[in-house]
């Protein structure tokens, strides 16, 4: 089989339906050149059975729990048969032509291990699909913007269009095409991460092996963003806290010595100082502002996480499947 399209879903049925409707009638599926696999991270809302009946050409996998994006992608690969693997978020809108264009680009450039495409929103605005590896001063948006102005070739702007192939540091997990051979060589997705930064980790391990990561301007996908990560304030709180936790996991995995320590300190200060101020404001305003209240809760969540780090001696989120084995 030529291509396996692997989609991780968690209560993103509306987005997923639009994505599948755009792909299920393409001849590559009926000819067994392509396959689509949807790994559901225990949505638990009864829609999995409905979708299995509605889309018999799609292989649905019940993951049995919400064990994270990386874990679900690895499960999808275990059930797949394709020589090439296309990892795609359910909130991406993909036409068969866009998939063909991206796949053809990969075949033309076998030296590129991880390949992605331009991603735009529903209004045609370019979305961020790559960036530089995080490290010290690049954590701060103002500094990143200044670096892009001073050295644009070395620091390309993810929200500006380019022509042809552009080599980059890391590419977004929302859309990644790679060969199974390179997937195995890199070691798959790192399940230390529950959500976020696993794409940076994948790209970093590829870079450590001397493998190219690039974005092609010759293929274009619509990415609506949000999906299940913005269902309600409770879920938003979880996802925002996981962004911060995963940044620490990345630092632990890819830095050493004083460099690692300094990065952790910068992240703690960057996270906790503004959140602490939000906590104080939340008390003064009696919790009347939803935005401030959310950030105050985020302060409590991250404070609990840092206590856990001291207690357990590692940086993993308690939602990671690796948490209990490291505790």
């Amino acid at each position: 089989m030529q291509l396996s399209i692997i989609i991780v879903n968690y209560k993103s049925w509306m987005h997923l339906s639009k994505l599948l409707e755009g792909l299920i009638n393409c001849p590559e599926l009926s000819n067994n050149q392509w396959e689509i696999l949807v790994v559901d991270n225990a949505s638990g809302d009864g829609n999995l059975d409905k979708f299995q009946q509605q889309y018999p050409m799609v292989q649905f996998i019940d993951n049995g729990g919400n064990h994270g994006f990386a874990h679900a992608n690895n499960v999808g690969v275990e059930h797949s048969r394709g020589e090439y693997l296309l990892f795609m978020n359910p909130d991406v809108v993909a036409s068969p032509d866009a998939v063909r264009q991206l796949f053809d680009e990969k075949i033309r450039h076998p030296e590129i291990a991880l390949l992605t495409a331009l991603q735009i929103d529903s209004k045609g605005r370019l979305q961020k699909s790559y960036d530089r590896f995080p490290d010290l001063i690049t954590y701060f948006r103002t500094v990143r913007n200044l670096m892009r102005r001073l050295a644009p070739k070395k620091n390309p702007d993810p929200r500006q269009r380019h022509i042809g192939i552009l080599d980059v540091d890391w590419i977004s997990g929302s859309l990644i095409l790679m060969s199974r051979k390179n997937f195995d060589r890199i070691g798959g997705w790192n399940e230390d991460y529950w959500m976020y930064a696993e794409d940076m980790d994948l790209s970093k391990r590829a870079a450590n092996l001397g493998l190219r990561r690039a974005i092609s301007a010759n293929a274009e996908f619509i990415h609506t963003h949000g999906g299940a990560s913005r269902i309600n304030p409770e879920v938003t709180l979880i996802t925002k806290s996981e962004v911060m936790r995963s940044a620490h996991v990345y630092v632990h995995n890819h830095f050493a010595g004083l460099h690692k320590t300094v990065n952790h300190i910068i992240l703690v200060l960057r996270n906790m100082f503004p959140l602490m101020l939000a906590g104080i404001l939340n008390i003064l305003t009696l919790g009347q502002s939803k935005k401030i209240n959310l950030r105050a809760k985020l302060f409590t969540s991250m404070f609990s996480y840092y206590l856990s780090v001291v207690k357990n001696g590692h940086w993993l989120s308690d939602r990671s499947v690796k948490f209990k084995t490291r505790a």
Side-chain angles (χ1 to χ4, degrees):
M1 179 169 286
Q2 191 181 66
L3 178 67
S4 296
I5 301 172
I6 298 170
I7 304 162
V8 176
N9 176 67
Y10 177 72
K11 296 185 179 182
S12 295
W13 303 107
M14 182 179 67
H15 293 289
L16 179 62
S17 178
K18 184 180 292 186
L19 171 57
L20 295 179
E21 287 295 332
L23 292 175
I24 56 171
N25 293 319
C26 66
E28 288 88 349
L29 280 179
S30 57
N31 294 335
N32 284 325
Q33 293 176 282
W34 297 359
E35 65 175 352
I36 300 176
L37 303 94
V38 175
V39 183
D40 185 60
N41 267 347
S43 293
D45 51 14
N47 282 305
L48 180 57
D49 290 338
K50 296 177 184 177
F51 269 65
Q52 286 176 319
Q53 295 174 12
Q54 186 174 352
Y55 301 103
M57 295 183 68
V58 176
Q59 181 180 353
F60 288 88
I61 303 163
D62 186 349
N63 204 17
N66 193 351
H67 304 306
F69 182 73
H71 179 273
N73 272 324
N74 287 337
V75 169
V77 173
E78 289 173 4
H79 287 79
S80 68
R81 298 171 291 160
E83 180 182 356
Y84 291 88
L85 307 168
L86 177 58
F87 300 98
M88 188 185 302
N89 276 10
D91 55 5
V92 170
V93 180
S95 68
D97 281 343
V99 175
R100 292 183 194 111
Q101 287 166 353
L102 183 62
F103 184 78
D104 289 345
E105 194 83 313
K106 181 72 179 71
I107 299 301
R108 285 194 295 269
H109 297 278
E111 75 282 2
I112 299 175
L114 275 63
L115 182 65
T116 192
L118 293 180
Q119 297 178 39
I120 60 172
D121 65 14
S122 57
K123 296 182 180 179
R125 296 172 298 195
L126 197 64
Q127 300 293 292
K128 178 179 175 180
S129 56
Y130 70 90
D131 212 336
R132 286 195 60 180
F133 289 127
D135 189 9
L136 297 175
I137 60 174
T138 60
Y139 292 125
F140 302 97
R141 183 180 301 177
T142 302
V143 176
R144 293 198 304 270
N145 290 338
L146 180 61
M147 292 169 67
R148 287 165 187 159
R149 287 179 178 273
L150 296 177
K153 290 185 179 180
K154 187 178 179 181
N155 304 280
D157 189 340
R159 289 187 170 85
Q160 285 190 357
R161 287 185 176 270
H162 64 276
I163 298 173
I165 298 288
L166 177 67
D167 285 275
V168 298
D169 276 359
W170 66 268
I171 61 178
S172 169
S174 59
L175 186 73
I176 297 180
L177 176 62
M178 61 193 308
S179 69
R180 183 181 297 271
K181 179 180 178 181
N182 278 326
F183 178 86
D184 292 338
R185 183 180 175 188
I186 294 168
W189 293 85
N190 188 342
E191 296 177 15
D192 283 356
Y193 305 87
W194 183 73
M195 192 173 180
Y196 301 112
E198 62 280 289
D199 45 12
M200 288 189 289
D201 183 280
L202 184 76
S203 297
K204 182 63 174 177
R205 285 182 289 126
N208 292 342
L209 293 170
L211 301 176
R212 286 180 67 187
R213 296 86 52 216
I215 175 172
S216 170
N218 297 324
E220 190 171 284
F221 293 72
I222 297 174
H223 188 190
T224 55
H225 277 287
S229 65
R230 301 175 187 175
I231 292 174
N232 55 50
E234 181 180 353
V235 173
T236 300
L237 173 63
I238 292 173
T239 56
K240 285 183 177 296
S241 68
E242 287 299 326
V243 170
M244 297 179 180
R245 297 177 189 203
S246 291
H248 282 292
V249 177
Y250 179 90
V251 167
H252 175 76
N253 286 343
H254 296 289
F255 298 136
L258 181 61
H259 189 199
K260 176 189 289 189
T261 301
V262 172
N263 270 270
H264 279 309
I265 291 172
I266 289 176
L267 286 175
V268 171
L269 294 175
R270 188 189 70 164
N271 292 339
M272 296 304 283
F273 183 69
L275 293 180
M276 182 177 64
L277 293 179
I280 295 172
L281 283 174
N282 190 57
I283 294 172
L284 294 176
T285 58
L286 303 177
Q288 294 302 304
S289 168
K290 291 183 179 179
K291 185 175 181 180
I292 294 176
N293 184 257
L294 177 65
R295 292 182 65 80
K297 289 180 178 179
L298 187 55
F299 171 78
T300 302
S301 173
M302 290 304 298
F303 186 78
S304 176
Y305 165 69
Y306 289 128
L307 288 179
S308 170
V309 170
V310 175
K311 176 183 176 182
N312 296 310
H314 64 72
W315 294 91
L316 299 185
S317 166
D318 58 2
R319 296 183 177 88
S320 166
V321 292
K322 299 283 189 69
F323 180 82
K324 291 183 179 179
T325 62
R326 300 282 182 89

